[in-house]
Amino acid sequence: MKVTVFAPINVALIKYWGKEDNQLRLPANDSLSVCLTNLGTTTTVEWDKNLNQDLADSRMKRQLDKVRKIAQINWRAKVVTKNNFPSGAGLSSSASGLAALTLAATAAAGLKLPEKDLSRLARLGSGSACRSIPDGWVEWSKGDDKTSYAKTIFPTDYWNLRILVVIVSDKKKLVSSTAGQELAFTSPFYKARVKSMAAKIKKIKAAIKQKNFTELGKIMEADCLNMHRVMRTQQPELNYLLPETKTVMQAVKKWREEGLESYFTINTGQNALVFCEPKNENKLVERLEKIEGVIEVRRDKIGKGARLLT
């Protein structure tokens, strides 16, 4: 069978950096994210008994092996996948890519896995991929192999916010998130970060429930800066931020002081994501596009998780 899937990138408001188990991709802390609507990965998987090998890269092959084991098949697969955004540049391409592959491969094999099990399986391919399976506002719980998965905590249409994806570089980062996280524990701030997470998650969930944009933004932005501080104090130091990234960050802070409210977050890369209310979207896009070094500003909003197209 041949199946095509679209999976969105997800943006973590409360991030995870560091794993309890690298092989099972179990996070050291819970995290909270939103799925986007427009940016993501479209993947087609076709199982073919006449193929001698998978037509896919090595990371995909490992995930296909897991699906083969569950489906109890020995067929090989042809995988065609495409991102509509820069890959490997801090915009969660592995999350959308492995989420799309997981849903497409299981559906093409005739499996109808519950969302919880799809999320767990996607996690084994890329930790944050588990958050691109459910819709809307998503929480990923730490735990063991059976209990660590992502689920929707507020639906897609719960709160009408905008996410502006500010691209300052489309080049692939030199150090992958997977490699960087392996050394997170070497930062003197790592233990304190992990310890603070439960309280942060509780506060930001309350802000979302109350639709308190100011509180949401403050918590999200502070957590982003905290994660990047851990990265910069790892051994060896890891710094994903470019001068252009910092210029965007400074501009958002300055405009906020002037009454144009928005907040930034940055994943494990150089490109920024700016959250705002719809009333400020056009003005912010206009200003962001004028910043020297900004290549493009993509408009997006909170959307559904991975879904079948054909």
Side-chain angles (χ1 to χ4, degrees), residues 40-61:
T41 304
T42 301
T43 297
T44 300
V45 173
E46 182 177 12
W47 294 103
D48 188 339
K49 63 182 179 181
N50 296 315
L51 284 176
N52 295 320
Q53 62 180 0
D54 292 317
L55 301 181
D57 66 29
S58 58
R59 192 171 189 179
M60 292 178 182
K61 289 177 182 178

Side-chain angles (χ1 to χ4, degrees), residues 104-120:
T106 54
L111 297 173
K112 295 182 179 180
L113 299 182
E115 184 179 270
K116 176 176 72 172
D117 293 337
L118 274 173
S119 180
R120 288 177 54 243

